[in-house]
Amino acid sequence: LQPDQSGYLEDPPSPSHYCSPLPGAATQPRFSLAAAQHPLANQLLLMTDPGELAPAWVGFMAVELDDSMDVDRVIYQRDPDRLFTPASTMKLVTTAAALEILGPSFRFTTEIKGSGTIRDGVLMGDLVVVGSGDPTIPSFRNPDPYAVFRSWAEQLKSMGVTRIQGSVIGVDSAFSGHALGPGWNWDDESFWYAAQVSALNFYDNCVHVTVKSGANGQPVSWEINPDNGYARIANSSATTSGQPEE
């Protein structure tokens, strides 16, 4: 590795080791190692050296933080200024931002309020559920999605409420803006991880659809869980023998 005029260390030309450059991009990746070699620097260099990663673009910056969580020095960086589609690595940034802004002890709060008085066990008004963005009411990984509602009912019963005269109203006004992130692909909307964002969530804002075959030529059957009345399915399918049509 030889330093160039910018102070970076550049790999000797080896076009076969890297994928074709983007239009106007430099052919060779740009490296930089800390002046005082960090024990991880050479390991990172070897990990990102051509081989299995030859067809890929690789870019990152590894830094060492001081006691104030500020960057003390750069351990190793490779193409740190190149633009990439971040994919799941973006979770590191959002998690770090949440820890910095909200703090490690932050908890979402979902408030349950009554708009009237309680008379002989009856709430003379509406029950209002005010969300703040809690994504765990509950997670779709929970085998009993309605357990949280039974817990709420037990708490209401302990307060003397056995019936609600009015309606149950959900308030999700804590968030403003679009329910889908800018730049999200439209064909990702069928996947659970791209569900719309809301201040009042249930089951990760998803439903599971289970499809079962029927007799040959008959429609398939389907089941929605949880069946919340929101998702509707137009079923025009039919069961076949599995043989392709000529």
Side-chain angles (χ1 to χ4, degrees), residues 211-236:
V211 179
K212 297 180 180 179
S213 61
N216 191 27
Q218 297 299 310
V220 301
S221 61
W222 50 267
E223 180 180 284
I224 293 180
N225 183 47
D227 190 0
N228 51 27
Y230 178 78
R232 299 181 180 181
I233 294 181
N235 185 9
S236 59

Side-chain angles (χ1 to χ4, degrees):
L1 298 176
Q2 300 296 326
D4 65 5
Q5 293 180 354
S6 66
Y8 281 91
L9 295 174
E10 295 208 349
D11 199 25
S14 183
S16 63
H17 285 176
Y18 306 101
C19 61
S20 300
L22 299 173
T27 302
Q28 302 169 16
R30 299 177 65 80
F31 302 95
S32 178
L33 296 130
Q37 286 288 310
H38 191 280
L40 288 178
N42 286 328
Q43 294 182 44
L44 292 171
L45 177 60
L46 292 174
M47 287 172 59
T48 58
D49 207 37
E52 293 182 359
L53 296 177
W57 290 109
V58 178
F60 67 95
M61 177 186 291
V63 300
E64 189 171 69
L65 304 179
D66 59 21
D67 293 338
S68 301
M69 300 301 290
D70 294 322
V71 176
D72 184 46
R73 62 170 174 163
V74 175
I75 297 172
Y76 174 74
Q77 57 184 345
R78 175 185 175 120
D79 280 336
D81 300 321
R82 188 184 295 278
L83 300 180
F84 293 89
T85 300
S88 288
T89 58
M90 196 64 190
K91 296 172 184 176
L92 298 172
V93 179
T94 54
T95 300
L99 286 171
E100 176 68 21
I101 296 172
L102 303 176
S105 61
F106 174 82
R107 295 293 183 273
F108 288 99
T109 300
T110 302
E111 297 181 285
I112 301 177
K113 303 180 177 181
S115 64
T117 59
I118 300 172
R119 187 183 308 163
D120 298 327
V122 179
L123 174 61
M124 309 301 291
D126 298 324
L127 186 73
V128 183
V129 182
V130 183
S132 67
D134 188 346
T136 63
I137 309 180
S139 168
F140 75 90
R141 295 176 176 84
N142 191 320
D144 185 1
Y146 300 107
V148 63
F149 300 135
R150 288 195 295 272
S151 172
W152 292 357
E154 290 298 323
Q155 294 179 55
L156 288 171
K157 189 182 297 184
S158 69
M159 299 169 61
V161 178
T162 57
R163 189 162 64 87
I164 300 169
Q165 185 185 57
S167 301
V168 177
I169 300 174
V171 179
D172 66 349
S173 58
F175 294 164
S176 61
H178 298 291
L180 292 172
W184 289 11
N185 291 337
W186 65 267
D187 52 350
D188 275 349
E189 289 189 53
S190 59
F191 299 103
W192 67 268
Y193 53 77
Q196 297 186 19
V197 177
S198 172
L200 192 60
N201 305 289
F202 174 65
Y203 209 65
D204 289 330
N205 296 342
C206 301
V207 293
H208 280 169
V209 180
T210 303
V211 179
K212 297 180 180 179
S213 61
N216 191 27
Q218 297 299 310
V220 301
S221 61
W222 50 267
E223 180 180 284
I224 293 180
N225 183 47
D227 190 0
N228 51 27
Y230 178 78
R232 299 181 180 181
I233 294 181
N235 185 9
S236 59
S237 60
T239 304
T240 70
S241 63
Q243 301 298 321
E245 296 183 0
E246 295 295 337

